[in-house]
Amino acid sequence: MAIFEGAGVAIVTPFKSDFSVDYDRFREIIEYQIANGTDCIIVCGTTGESSTLTHEEHLDCIKFCTEVVNHRIPVVAGTGSNATDTAIYLSQEAEKYGVDGLLLVTPYYNKATQNGLIKHYTDIANSVKLPIILYNVQSRTGCNINPETAVYLAKNVENIVAIKEASGNISQVAKLMSLADGCIDLYSGNDDQVVPIMSLGGKGVISVVSNIAPQFMHDMTRAYLDGDVKKACDMQLKSIELCNALFCEVNPIPVKKAVELMGFCDGYLRMPLTEMEPQNVERLKKAMKDFGIEF
């Protein structure tokens, strides 16, 4: 049984002017997501600026999100780290809060060999009982999960059940799924590749776009899951310019601006992320208007 099917939102973390977490706005964002069809909330991932949260803030955000959602939809907590012991600590604490799964990014900066990845993920998985989604995003971490490694983990570690593939390498994803033969669930980590990845057996997407168009992303994945491939494909193509605008600067700078434009938060980013360039703000506004998003 998959943790979720459809479109899960890689949710932003709103900050106040003093850069503390704005829990009132966070609640509003969570409620907006649930009211507009999001199938799962992924809290404290890349888009949630987890890399600049203290451990206490990180865990507080996970606990808060889980309490607000209150089992209405699944909650997956990002608890990955480049230090295995830290990932174990965060994962064990998140499990206490009642999350439905964990998202574990590959070690960054220090990276790891494929054998190191197997040991890293096995140790974390053995420390908890929750289902785990591996997160492969080499462009940000410098570390790739080879298809053979992902399949080995899925077959040998009971609670490693899925992978978020954000490598952008469709050929690698195809090889993974051919080797897996159904032993691992697949989620797209790139909003512009949702339908292609679902055509290879994907269950859906962990989405940045869902922050501002949750119903659309839900409907697109639902159309594919229901067998209306043409509708899903048409929706995917309609979303491409919005996807491009949301990634014209490093994520989550553009989506934080988009959420601000929609009135859900004040758009504050923690350093080293900085304010979006004016010309890119205009590009984002145009893409949102052309897509039909009101702000």
Side-chain angles (χ1 to χ4, degrees):
M1 175 69 77
I3 297 174
F4 75 95
E5 289 187 340
V9 60
I11 202 163
V12 299
T13 303
F15 299 124
K16 299 178 182 178
S17 58
D18 63 359
F19 300 103
S20 62
V21 177
D22 189 337
Y23 287 102
D24 289 338
R25 306 311 296 272
F26 198 17
R27 182 187 298 275
E28 291 176 16
I29 292 169
I30 292 167
E31 292 295 348
Y32 170 77
Q33 288 294 320
I34 294 174
N36 286 275
T38 283
D39 297 292
C40 178
I41 292 179
I42 297 83
V43 61
C44 291
T46 304
T47 310
E49 297 178 71
S50 58
S51 58
T52 56
L53 297 175
T54 67
H55 290 166
E56 292 76 16
E57 289 173 326
H58 194 135
L59 293 172
D60 284 348
C61 285
I62 293 170
K63 187 173 188 288
F64 179 83
C65 182
T66 306
E67 289 174 348
V68 172
V69 172
N70 193 25
H71 306 292
R72 287 177 286 175
I73 58 175
V75 173
V76 171
T79 54
S81 172
N82 65 339
T84 305
D85 286 347
T86 300
I88 288 172
Y89 165 68
L90 294 173
S91 298
Q92 290 177 334
E93 292 300 306
E95 184 172 40
K96 295 174 185 176
Y97 305 149
V99 300
D100 299 280
L102 304 174
L103 178 69
L104 297 175
V105 72
T106 52
Y108 38 86
Y109 188 73
N110 51 3
K111 305 190 287 186
T113 64
Q114 296 303 302
N115 284 336
L117 289 176
I118 289 170
K119 185 72 166 71
H120 173 78
Y121 281 122
T122 300
D123 284 1
I124 300 167
N126 286 341
S127 76
V128 294
K129 293 182 171 60
L130 291 169
I132 287 169
I133 305 172
L134 309 176
Y135 180 12
N136 194 32
V137 58
Q138 186 177 10
S139 64
R140 297 191 79 117
T141 67
C143 185
N144 183 54
I145 305 175
N146 290 345
E148 296 85 355
T149 301
V151 170
Y152 177 88
L153 285 165
K155 288 184 175 179
N156 288 278
V157 185
E158 183 178 3
N159 55 331
I160 293 180
V161 300
I163 185 167
K164 175 186 176 184
E165 248 297 343
S167 67
N169 186 341
I170 292 293
S171 296
Q172 175 170 289
V173 177
K175 182 179 180 181
L176 164 65
M177 295 307 280
S178 70
L179 294 174
D181 193 27
C183 76
I184 194 166
D185 290 334
L186 171 67
Y187 298 101
S188 176
N190 294 322
D191 284 291
D192 61 350
Q193 294 182 342
V194 181
V195 170
I197 283 182
M198 292 187 76
S199 76
L200 294 171
K203 300 286 186 181
V205 60
I206 295 177
S207 169
V208 173
V209 173
S210 285
N211 278 283
I212 60 172
Q215 191 68 57
F216 180 92
M217 296 302 291
H218 165 83
D219 291 348
M220 181 176 75
T221 54
R222 191 72 256 164
Y224 193 95
L225 292 167
D226 289 344
D228 195 341
V229 175
K230 184 179 187 309
K231 178 181 178 181
C233 183
D234 289 344
M235 294 177 76
Q236 176 77 89
L237 295 176
K238 178 183 177 182
S239 73
I240 293 300
E241 182 48 39
L242 181 62
C243 293
N244 290 341
L246 284 171
F247 288 91
C248 68
E249 292 188 24
V250 67
N251 180 51
I253 292 174
V255 73
K256 206 75 177 285
K257 175 58 69 174
V259 172
E260 177 187 6
L261 290 170
M262 293 175 69
F264 285 115
C265 71
D266 293 323
Y268 295 111
L269 297 149
R270 284 191 176 176
M271 290 284 286
L273 299 185
T274 53
E275 184 71 16
M276 196 174 184
E277 296 294 331
Q279 68 273 19
N280 289 331
V281 174
E282 293 309 309
R283 176 183 178 182
L284 177 62
K285 287 180 177 179
K286 182 178 187 306
M288 291 172 68
K289 287 178 180 176
D290 291 346
F291 195 77
I293 296 173
E294 297 181 1
F295 56 91

